[in-house]
Amino acid sequence: MEILKQHYFNTETIMEEVHQQCEDLLLYCTFNSKKKNCNKMFNFIKTYEGHCCAFNYAALNDGNMDEISYDDDIEYYSDPSNEGTSGIYVTSKSGRGSGLSVVLNVEPSDYPEWSLTPYNGAKILLNDPTDYPEITVLYKYVVLGQSLDIKVEPRIFQSDDDIRLVPLEKRNCAFHDEFLLQHTDRFSSETCKTECKMKNYADQCGCVPYKYPKDKALRICDFGDLECLNNLRARDIDWEKDCTPICYIECRDKRYSITSDVMPLLADFYPRNITLGHNISELSSLQVYFAKSTCNCFKNMLLIDFNYFIANYGGVFSLCFGVSIITLFEVIYSFLFSVLGTSCNYVKNTNKTIAKYDVENE
């Protein structure tokens, strides 16, 4: 390791050198059946699996991310709360032929004989584009000569701004602007947990694994730190116990479920110049699209607060019994006045009886 450092190599630069370049992996890309430049659609990012070519990623303020290139022929997501999610492709279409389609050249000849990978192909990770891909990630494998269809079904969770009036401890969810994270402008429960893991690695081992977001204040772990990292992973640690801030779930969030179909890759489905010069049995293809044109949306709203309670039940009493708040106070006043008056008369009569008894005894 010291020899590598002398030649300006470290763990991070080595991993950047050995990974497959995105321009070599991605042969052909379409979005909504329209051909696109793969290099403009995909960014080179870090994930819990290492370096990946990412589509629709807008999670971190990471120096490794390329600048977003906008296309006049594509519709982009516009967040109604302006929470830093620009550059995300959107589509209102569903079914095969919509969404993203990619032809992959996984270069099986690059796999060494001693490789521990049980397959030659690509691992496809799916997660919310505004989260660091580690905590809630769905994945599928696509191997050589196969065409993989991934059908996505989203679920949307929304919350009215009135929910902010409820204390955090009671609503148990946080809005994206309520906490400030180090590596993103938008609070995310998943990214919060990742930063909490980074802090634990830094506290216990003095470094963080290369796969995590860049942080100038933290050292990237090298081979000498492997023992500490492995011991830390082996221990049953509650990462979230001492997280600051607390990693509440998000009041406004998106979650996904997927189903998939696998079929043989057919060259006739793609332009001839794409597969020309390649062995079709060594290529793979991927299609990702929405399964349906509709999805389930769940919304949190504040139904009853104190003002609503007074107005609602005051109105019910007024309509049903002809009473009001003033009438209620008058009834209470009359009741207390009657009780106090009776008590005073009872005390007076008791005193008179005692005085009379004393006079008779004398």
Side-chain angles (χ1 to χ4, degrees), residues 94-118:
S94 61
R96 206 171 195 275
S98 66
L100 176 69
S101 178
V102 182
V103 176
L104 305 170
N105 177 23
V106 296
E107 298 181 333
S109 58
D110 283 353
Y111 285 81
E113 294 182 359
W114 46 264
S115 174
L116 299 177
T117 306

Side-chain angles (χ1 to χ4, degrees), residues 307-343:
N307 294 333
Y308 179 88
F309 178 84
I310 294 296
N312 188 57
Y313 285 92
V316 170
F317 278 115
S318 297
L319 290 173
C320 297
F321 305 105
V323 299
S324 64
I325 295 295
I326 296 177
T327 305
L328 183 62
F329 280 117
E330 289 177 346
V331 170
I332 295 173
Y333 174 78
S334 298
F335 175 76
L336 292 176
F337 184 79
S338 175
V339 170
L340 291 174
T342 302
S343 300

Side-chain angles (χ1 to χ4, degrees), residues 15-262:
M15 295 305 299
E16 290 179 359
E17 289 291 333
V18 299
H19 81 89
Q20 187 181 18
Q21 299 296 322
C22 293
E23 53 266 29
D24 298 328
L25 174 66
L26 307 168
L27 295 181
Y28 179 72
C29 300
T30 66
F31 188 75
N32 284 345
S33 299
K34 297 180 180 178
K35 182 181 177 182
K36 299 296 176 184
N37 186 336
C38 297
N39 292 331
K40 292 183 177 180
M41 294 181 67
F42 285 82
N43 287 328
F44 174 62
I45 69 165
K46 295 177 182 178
T47 72
Y48 79 105
E49 288 284 353
H51 293 91
C52 290
C53 301
F55 170 75
N56 258 5
Y57 184 73
L60 305 181
N61 303 323
D62 196 335
N64 273 356
M65 285 186 60
D66 301 326
E67 292 296 326
I68 297 170
S69 299
Y70 287 89
D71 191 330
D72 295 334
D73 194 31
I74 288 179
E75 183 181 358
Y76 293 90
Y77 176 61
S78 177
D79 196 315
S81 56
N82 294 321
E83 290 165 340
T85 54
S86 60
I88 297 177
Y89 291 31
V90 296
T91 179
S92 56
K93 299 180 181 179
S94 61
R96 206 171 195 275
S98 66
L100 176 69
S101 178
V102 182
V103 176
L104 305 170
N105 177 23
V106 296
E107 298 181 333
S109 58
D110 283 353
Y111 285 81
E113 294 182 359
W114 46 264
S115 174
L116 299 177
T117 306
Y119 66 93
N120 289 351
K123 186 173 183 178
I124 312 301
L125 309 179
L126 294 100
N127 72 298
D128 190 315
T130 55
D131 298 333
Y132 175 78
E134 179 182 31
I135 305 299
T136 54
V137 179
L138 306 173
Y139 65 88
K140 290 289 181 179
Y141 295 102
V142 56
V143 299
L144 301 179
Q146 285 187 351
S147 176
L148 174 67
D149 280 27
I150 298 180
K151 293 167 280 189
V152 181
E153 293 190 29
R155 288 177 295 163
I156 310 299
F157 296 86
Q158 291 289 345
S159 294
D160 287 341
D161 280 335
D162 291 341
I163 298 294
R164 295 175 184 267
L165 300 175
V166 181
L168 267 170
E169 296 76 14
K170 292 184 178 180
R171 59 177 146 105
N172 284 322
C173 72
F175 287 87
H176 296 133
D177 58 352
E178 285 191 296
F179 292 101
L180 182 63
L181 298 179
Q182 188 173 358
H183 297 92
T184 178
D185 299 326
R186 177 183 185 275
F187 175 81
S188 159
S189 176
E190 286 77 6
T191 306
C192 175
K193 293 174 183 177
T194 292
E195 290 195 356
C196 188
K197 275 191 172 186
M198 293 174 63
K199 183 178 182 300
N200 276 278
Y201 279 124
D203 291 344
Q204 299 294 326
C205 299
C207 63
V208 294
Y210 77 93
K211 63 184 180 181
Y212 286 120
K214 276 188 175 180
D215 192 328
K216 294 181 179 179
L218 299 177
R219 179 176 63 86
I220 302 297
C221 298
D222 54 33
F223 292 112
D225 301 300
L226 287 178
E227 182 178 359
C228 178
L229 295 176
N230 290 332
N231 291 338
L232 198 58
R233 293 191 188 103
R235 299 207 308 259
D236 186 14
I237 298 176
D238 186 1
W239 294 100
E240 303 175 36
K241 182 179 179 181
D242 299 319
C243 287
T244 304
I246 298 175
C247 297
Y248 289 103
I249 63 172
E250 298 159 61
C251 295
R252 294 169 179 161
D253 199 8
K254 300 179 290 296
R255 299 175 192 172
Y256 304 91
S257 60
I258 59 174
T259 56
S260 62
D261 294 322
V262 178

